[in-house]
Amino acid sequence: KKMSLEVRTPINEKSSATLEVETLHTLDDTRLLLSRSGSFSSLPSGSYRSHREERHHKKESRCNSTTSVVITLTAILLAASLALGLYSTITLTTPRYPSCTLNPVTCKDQSSVPDLFTIAKTVLVIVPHPGDAEAAAGGTIARLIASDITVHYLILTYGSRDFGPVNMTNPAELASIRQREQRQAAAAMKVASVDFLGLLDGDFDNTENIRSNVTYFIRVYRPDVVFTWDPRHDLSLYSWGLDHRDHRITGQIVLDSIYPNALSPLYYPEQLSEKISPWIVKQCFLFSWEWNSVKPHTNVAIDIGTTMAQKIDTMLIFKSRIVGSQAEESRLQQVAEALGSASQMKYSEWFTRIIYATST
């Protein structure tokens, strides 16, 4: 008889291990077979030695003897249970989110996962600078709002150091202009609310205080989906201004705030009240401009053919950060066309999707 004891972690599928107990004629003949990633090691009862331990047997004999006794006793108990017919297979699963049935990051089968426009009733877009949301996901945001989905903005800085064609040396004045442009653009898109944390461009880190503030807004707005920058460093995007330090750090802050902070009542309990409670974000969309060929299942292309014009009009509101209307319109169309052609659409925006929960 054999008993399979599987230990699986949802973070990495390859970490699965199978422990088999092979009962022969007597308990003395019991063998433990430990398989990991397809390789098997035979561990006879009464001894527990790897090839390395064999070479150093005299030096580590006491440790090996103790380990041997523990494993032998374990084998006897498991074999006895088998003989009694109590069970044939035990599976231990490490929980992630209470309602999560799929691996949050590397889910291979997303066929049963509700799409963005089905699962989202409320969306929170978290970016470091004014104009980031519209540039990276303006077409998608316009589609969400057109589908009667509520969208909120949380912007970490005022954009007081964000360069552009405006020849300005006064950060406070530039911050005022950028805030005004952002509020005008959000109003044009019919975004429900715009909040600023007021951090300084290029001078903030993934700190406890900032995570606390971001966690607070997640708990207040209770979004089903969060949009933000990808925290991973990508040199190929650096020359295009898409791998800004603030972008990466914002992504780190947001992912840390979604899990575990917003979920657990043990983080920032002073925030909790009758109206504010822990919250589970179902999905997170990271802005992307490159298709992930290694894990294509994490890619999501959103068709923005019906909202491309609205995205361009909204971006032209940010006069302090664009060189010229025609150049900006041409640039936006070029990018959307390139992404669209790779995903069999006229215009599209790309994202890396992280799944935390699958219920609608």
Side-chain angles (χ1 to χ4, degrees):
K1 294 182 179 180
K2 291 185 178 181
M3 185 191 74
S4 174
L5 180 63
E6 300 177 355
V7 182
R8 303 184 184 278
T9 62
I11 299 302
N12 186 352
E13 201 172 56
K14 293 183 179 178
S15 66
S16 299
T18 301
L19 181 67
E20 294 185 348
V21 178
E22 183 177 355
T23 56
L24 303 180
H25 297 292
T26 66
L27 289 179
D28 292 333
D29 289 328
T30 298
R31 300 290 185 269
L32 294 180
L33 303 176
L34 178 64
S35 69
R36 186 179 179 85
S37 300
S39 61
F40 290 80
S41 299
S42 180
L43 307 176
S45 68
S47 66
Y48 177 55
R49 300 178 194 158
S50 65
H51 295 296
R52 192 170 186 177
E53 288 170 337
E54 190 69 37
R55 292 195 298 269
H56 301 284
H57 173 57
K58 291 182 179 180
K59 183 177 179 179
E60 301 180 356
S61 60
R62 182 174 300 176
C63 177
N64 288 343
S65 297
T66 302
T67 307
S68 171
V69 170
V70 172
I71 292 181
T72 301
L73 290 174
T74 302
I76 291 172
L77 290 172
L78 293 174
S81 298
L82 278 172
L84 292 173
L86 296 180
Y87 48 75
S88 58
T89 301
I90 298 176
T91 300
L92 304 179
T93 303
T94 304
R96 182 65 172 177
Y97 265 42
S99 58
C100 184
T101 59
L102 299 173
N103 188 316
V105 179
T106 58
C107 167
K108 288 186 176 180
D109 181 12
Q110 295 192 5
S111 59
S112 62
V113 178
D115 69 11
L116 172 63
F117 298 94
T118 300
I119 201 168
K121 296 180 178 62
T122 302
V123 170
L124 177 59
V125 182
I126 306 176
V127 292
H129 311 118
D132 280 359
E134 292 79 5
T140 301
I141 293 169
R143 277 197 60 188
L144 288 166
I145 295 171
S147 301
D148 294 325
I149 295 169
T150 302
V151 176
H152 301 278
Y153 281 178
L154 175 59
I155 301 169
L156 303 193
T157 77
Y158 292 134
S160 61
R161 286 176 167 179
D162 196 9
F163 62 87
V166 176
N167 184 16
M168 189 171 296
T169 58
N170 186 335
E173 188 176 353
L174 181 58
S176 177
I177 293 173
R178 292 282 161 81
Q179 286 183 73
R180 184 175 65 251
E181 291 175 343
Q182 180 61 85
R183 294 191 186 280
Q184 288 174 352
M189 295 272 282
K190 298 183 179 179
V191 172
S193 67
V194 180
D195 294 287
F196 291 88
L197 284 191
L199 306 177
L200 182 62
D201 294 45
D203 196 32
F204 66 88
D205 289 297
N206 185 3
T207 64
E208 185 75 16
N209 182 56
I210 297 175
R211 289 195 300 274
S212 172
N213 280 279
V214 172
T215 299
Y216 172 79
F217 281 100
I218 291 174
R219 288 172 169 175
V220 167
Y221 288 125
R222 303 170 72 81
D224 303 294
V225 178
V226 170
F227 282 76
T228 192
W229 287 98
D230 193 323
R232 294 170 294 189
H233 187 50
D234 191 339
L235 282 176
S236 65
L237 298 177
Y238 186 78
S239 61
W240 294 92
L242 299 174
D243 200 37
H244 192 295
R245 173 189 184 275
D246 291 355
H247 297 172
R248 299 192 304 273
I249 293 175
T250 298
Q252 294 170 6
I253 292 169
V254 172
L255 292 184
D256 290 346
S257 298
I258 290 174
Y259 178 83
N261 295 14
L263 167 70
S264 173
L266 300 179
Y267 283 89
Y268 323 122
E270 68 279 2
Q271 296 178 356
L272 305 179
S273 64
E274 290 183 3
K275 295 183 179 180
I276 301 176
S277 59
W279 181 248
I280 296 176
V281 173
K282 296 181 178 69
Q283 297 181 13
C284 181
F285 280 64
L286 306 177
F287 306 142
S288 176
W289 284 266
E290 290 194 337
W291 204 254
N292 189 334
S293 58
V294 178
K295 297 176 180 176
H297 47 273
T298 65
N299 299 320
V300 175
I302 303 295
D303 190 334
I304 60 169
T306 60
T307 55
M308 185 65 204
Q310 188 176 357
K311 172 174 180 168
I312 292 173
D313 290 342
T314 304
M315 279 303 301
L316 295 180
I317 293 174
F318 294 92
K319 299 185 185 302
S320 67
R321 61 176 285 170
I322 62 176
V323 176
S325 298
Q326 289 185 341
E328 180 69 7
E329 181 174 348
S330 176
R331 183 187 70 82
L332 291 170
Q333 282 187 330
Q334 266 189 323
V335 173
E337 282 178 356
L339 298 179
S341 64
S343 48
Q344 292 75 54
M345 303 172 187
K346 184 176 181 180
Y347 300 113
S348 72
E349 292 170 337
W350 288 0
F351 306 92
T352 297
R353 177 169 63 177
I354 300 175
I355 298 170
Y356 296 101
T358 58
S359 60
T360 51

